[in-house]
Amino acid sequence: MFFRIIFLWVFLHHFLFACGGGFWPEDYEFKFLHKRDYAFSNIQDNLNFSSTYNNIVMNSQKEAKKENLKEWQKEFGKQYSLKQIEEFLYEGKNLSSIKNKEIRAYIDFVNLQAPFVTSWRNYYLKYGYKGRKLKESDVDLLISKAISNIQSTKSKYLKQRYFFLALRLAHYYNKDNAYSIYTANKKLLQGSDSIVKDWIQGLYAGILIKNGENVKGVYEFTKLFDKSKSNWYLAFYNFKAIKTDKDWNDLVSLAKDKEEKIKFLTLRALDANANIVEELKNIAKIDLNSKNYDLLLFREVLKSQDFFNIYPKDLYYEVKPKNIDKYTPLVNYLQNVSKDNMYTVDLALAYFSFYKGDIASSKDYLQKAYKEVKGDDIHELNALGYIIYLNGLKTINTDIENNIATRLDKLMTQKCNKDSIFKYTFYKVKDLYKEKGDEFKYFIASNYRYLNINSINLEKYQKIEALKNKKDKSGLEKYMLEKIIFKYKDFDKSLQKAYFSILMNNLEFEKLLKEYPNKLNYKLRFNIFNNLIAGNNRRVSPTQITLKETLEKIIKIKDNLKKNPNDAMSNYLYATALYNLSYWGNSNTLTTIYRSSYSFKEKELELRKINLSNKYLNRALENSTNKEFKAKVTYMLAKNELALYDIKNSTKSEYNQEISYRTDNWYSFGYDFKNIQRYMVSGYGKYFDKLKNDFDDTSYYQELIKECSNLRNYQSTLKKVYDKDALGISLTDLEKELSTMYKQKKTRIANKYNTIFFWKLMVQEPITNKTVESYNNIAYYLEKLHREEYSVLLLEKILEKYPNRVVAYYNLGDAYWSHWKKDKAKSAYKKYIELMIKEGKEKKIPQKVKDRVDTKD
């Protein structure tokens, strides 16, 4: 069969190594194995990816640098520290302190030839290097100088290094004498254990391939295939030069013993496109007990651990089910394998059985592996046993929490996989807490990666305090406190500071003043009792008062309202303060730990503040006779109406139990007229209308119309809706036009189709029994033409008049889903399912709808 290796050079972003050689990508991936000391053993990523190669090279170069420095320290006779030597060799610093003249001359030469061998060498040849003009003819002079130095230098150590420099220059610039330089000086490597020997071996192999001796070059590269070599990865990444069956057979003919044949098979098997089962069989025919057999099998187990991968709740894609059947051929093969040490085989079968849900077999293989275990490998068996235990739990209580903690204590002593063990523990138990109805522990367990202070509300704060003060904590509760809640040393201080905001957000003014009377004396930038027009109510107050003074004033106003509930000014001031303490007010930083510019927390609290504000504003309006004052109150009511619109149309999102609501940003009317169009056609604008109709003769209104762009834009948009100009197209013709666009896949519809257009259409041709079908069809086409917001507008208006129209709920679900509003889509789909079941049409419900409703977001 024609032998071919295909390399796919695509960029992905994965980290590569186990402990000791980098780190596992543990945010959403769990790895429970220990590091093996084989080349490529700890890399789960596709070796064909260029990102994998780049990371291997980067990490290998770091290790090579360490070895090189140690080697130089020995050559210096330990006169200098590693830091000093690093400055000599890699930074060119303090060279005058080097006493050995030959070493100093060598370092000077290294610096001289450096620009000719960097990845930037072509740039330097064209534009120069540090003010120095470079010529390719200089390369010949440098090669000659390096060769000359090989002869004149007394140190064998430096001879080898000059040999490397000469050979590298010749190889990089395709010089004809590269091969002869190698043959003339290779005797210098005899008996050498210098890292330079590996570097020269790689150059020599590369020279052979450049000269067209592909098979021989690959053979020389395979000599580097050992973790003790500094550039071991070159053995695999140059194996691509073997392209045909003839190349392969010629390579095999060069093998001096069975170990070299196994090495060739291993390198071929490392390719992502290799048939691993066949390659394991090929190695087994030569030596079933080869360490490379275990290397390849271990890598398959490591790669298979993507079974444990989890994904963040994402609104933008759906995660496909894990394919466990892909392991079947390997499992079938391994079940019939018998070798001297079956540890890796049994470990593999234990995991593969677990993936398939065959827990009994997994436990059997695990017990077999325990009998063959050596050294620290017992810990990775303990890890698998623990995973099986966690997945077998059906409930959770104090005894189970203590048992988990006891087992976890032992596993956490391992550096290599302890983070995965810890995080996987809470990833699994969080759902047990949820099923039990323990929302607090579910919240803590869900935040095992990082507990965001912004996600803590008053109830959670109180429960954290209760847990902290609990005397008989379970082992797992201690882990929650030490490793999640107070993982970072400053979290306690941050939590205390956040408590101020939490109390303010819950309008617990008296409690805050009582509990922290001496910590509230900092001045506030904005006055919460202000309702300014200019500067979006965010002008820094000229007479800044402290938080304590603010609390005292608001408490005084509340007390006055108890005595005089109809006092217009007190009602107005209290209402204004409530608004300013909301997400939309000028002092929201007092109620929010970290304020987002596009989402708010705790929807119910925001509604409470705005609704309370409205209550007191209406009372102020009823009890005032001053027209200017009433205009000011009405403007506050208009701002509250804008906030209520924003709350209603916000989209819920949740991540690790941290809930937020994305807003429609009503305050951006001046930049996005779609927002004010949606606002208006949704039935809002009562108080904007009232300002114009009842108070346009006041000085306050005249100032307002100049400063408030929201009011101006609202009024100009209103004119467009109710002007008497015809649309120029009938409902029937529009349906035909959009149908044609859909069939012809013309997804770019004309700009005339906007919110105002469809609103005017519904004014001119109202939704009735005769028109509802056409409107439903138009909404369907709009969704398919990627104009979901207009589709939603029409479908919601249809359902306002015909709340039991089944197909409209189906289409509305599709429109919301396409518009990335999955929570609203699910609500529509659920209503659709409910009505279909009611009509006895459950079997006709599309599977797509069921799948989307069941998707966990």
Side-chain angles (χ1 to χ4, degrees), residues 223-351:
K223 293 179 180 180
L224 296 171
F225 188 54
D226 191 290
K227 199 60 189 291
S228 65
K229 307 294 184 182
S230 73
N231 45 1
W232 47 270
Y233 56 89
L234 294 177
F236 171 75
Y237 285 105
N238 286 280
F239 207 77
K240 62 182 178 180
I242 303 298
K243 297 179 180 179
T244 66
D245 286 341
K246 183 180 184 307
D247 288 342
W248 172 254
N249 293 330
D250 289 346
L251 179 65
V252 172
S253 70
L254 294 176
K256 295 178 180 178
D257 51 38
K258 66 178 184 179
E259 290 301 323
E260 286 199 339
K261 289 182 181 178
I262 289 173
K263 189 187 294 184
F264 302 158
L265 288 166
T266 304
L267 287 166
R268 189 171 71 174
L270 286 171
D271 186 82
N273 301 304
N275 184 327
I276 192 64
V277 174
E278 292 304 312
E279 296 296 13
L280 287 172
K281 288 179 180 178
N282 289 333
I283 292 174
K285 289 175 185 177
I286 302 173
D287 183 2
L288 181 59
N289 297 307
S290 165
K291 70 174 186 179
N292 284 349
Y293 185 96
D294 282 342
L295 158 65
L296 293 174
L297 184 52
F298 175 79
R299 285 196 78 246
E300 291 306 301
V301 182
L302 176 60
K303 289 189 289 183
S304 78
Q305 298 228 314
D306 63 7
F307 173 85
F308 295 104
N309 289 3
I310 60 173
Y311 301 92
K313 292 172 182 176
D314 194 321
L315 298 177
Y316 302 101
Y317 69 91
E318 296 175 68
V319 179
K320 295 180 180 178
K322 294 179 172 71
N323 177 18
I324 57 175
D325 293 333
K326 64 183 179 181
Y327 307 126
T328 300
L330 181 58
V331 171
N332 292 340
Y333 163 67
L334 292 176
Q335 286 173 337
N336 298 303
V337 168
S338 177
K339 59 198 295 280
D340 291 351
N341 190 318
M342 289 285 289
Y343 177 78
T344 308
V345 174
D346 288 332
L347 177 68
L349 288 171
Y351 267 110

Side-chain angles (χ1 to χ4, degrees), residues 766-769 796-803:
I767 298 171
T768 63
N769 290 337
E796 287 186 337
K797 291 300 178 183
I798 290 172
L799 289 169
E800 280 180 18
K801 191 161 187 178
Y802 300 100

